[in-house]
Amino acid sequence: MHIVPTQEDVVALLEQTGALRHGHFEYKNGLHANEYLQVPLAMRYYQHAKTLSVGLSRLVRANPEIRAVIPELSIVAPATGGLPVAYGVCEALRAHQVYWAERENENEPLRFRQYLKQVVDERVLLVDDILRTGTNLTQLKKLVESNGARVVGLAVVVYQPTPQTPDFSPLPFFYLAKLDGIYYQDAATCDLCQRGEALERIWV
Ligand SMILES: [Zn+2]
């Protein structure tokens, strides 16, 4: 495998570990899709986790503005799914620290642990396993900026855009693989439903 794994390498690794599944899925927000991805299934294995996070860290390090602030850089994840990636990227970069946000329950906003204080002008790289709808990363960016810290970029293992995915430019955005799943707004517009293909409901 290359030092930065190719799109084909990443897809093969995700399929081999059961992290990438093909079929007919219904997400919690009602979207139907022809593929489903659960990166933590691939991150169960130390060697795969290392391959993905070291590859991603190399893309990040190639950015001169970010490379210049690595010793002070905070790696921040919006949820637990991003944690193995965040720790792997932090270790490979030798960045300053890792922490993450979470929410009390689904309807609560993201927040950090008690006593975790961000510093004004702190440089932050947002890291997650996947960018799909962008809800969590958008909220995390707002939370970080509301504390006076500065987001310098975003990095994810897989970019799987949906019609709702926001554009974070001009921030640099790094990903190892892009998956173009086919999404349908609901069952009524879903070709897979029309063809009567068995439906699996996604609960995460
Ligand atoms: Zn369907």
Side-chain angles (χ1 to χ4, degrees):
M1 203 169 270
H2 303 90
I3 290 168
V4 176
T6 63
Q7 163 99 13
E8 292 69 32
D9 292 335
V10 173
V11 167
L13 189 159
L14 294 171
E15 286 177 339
Q16 179 200 331
T17 53
L20 175 59
R21 294 161 183 274
H22 305 280
H24 178 201
F25 303 94
E26 183 180 79
Y27 285 84
K28 279 203 303 189
N29 62 7
L31 283 180
H32 283 215
N34 69 337
E35 62 184 24
Y36 179 65
L37 180 66
Q38 186 63 259
V39 179
L41 292 177
M43 300 303 277
R44 288 179 291 174
Y45 307 106
Y46 173 78
Q47 200 53 50
H48 292 328
K50 185 144 186 133
T51 298
L52 295 174
S53 50
V54 168
L56 191 56
S57 77
R58 286 178 187 266
L59 297 180
V60 172
R61 191 192 291 278
N63 179 289
E65 284 85 29
I66 297 180
R67 188 166 60 237
V69 298
I70 283 175
E72 306 101 66
L73 189 63
S74 300
I75 312 291
V76 181
T80 51
L83 275 183
V85 188
Y87 275 100
V89 167
C90 187
E91 183 189 8
L93 287 178
R94 296 280 182 261
H96 179 53
Q97 59 179 346
V98 176
Y99 52 88
W100 62 94
E102 52 206 325
R103 54 183 101 229
E104 188 85 357
N105 62 57
E106 263 186 65
N107 304 315
E108 298 287 324
L110 281 178
R111 63 179 191 188
F112 295 122
R113 291 285 169 115
Q114 191 170 6
Y115 305 123
L116 195 150
K117 290 271 183 283
Q118 291 190 302
V119 182
V120 171
D121 254 2
E122 178 178 330
R123 307 305 160 90
V124 171
L125 177 72
L126 304 184
V127 169
D128 205 356
D129 55 347
I130 180 165
L131 171 58
R132 187 181 287 125
T133 64
T135 310
N136 277 342
L137 283 169
T138 302
Q139 274 191 32
L140 180 62
K141 181 169 174 285
K142 282 196 187 129
L143 174 63
V144 165
E145 289 170 345
S146 72
N147 290 333
R150 203 189 307 175
V151 176
V152 297
L154 298 94
V156 300
V157 174
V158 177
Y159 177 39
Q160 192 181 34
T162 74
Q164 290 88 35
T165 307
D167 178 2
F168 290 99
S169 63
L171 286 174
F173 171 51
F174 310 96
Y175 58 88
L176 287 178
K178 180 177 178 193
L179 295 180
D180 292 308
I182 300 170
Y183 293 91
Y184 305 95
Q185 287 300 334
D186 48 37
T189 57
C190 176
D191 292 340
L192 302 165
C193 282
Q194 310 284 310
R195 293 208 295 268
E197 295 198 16
L199 180 70
E200 283 184 63
R201 288 204 165 75
I202 298 306
W203 49 272
V204 172

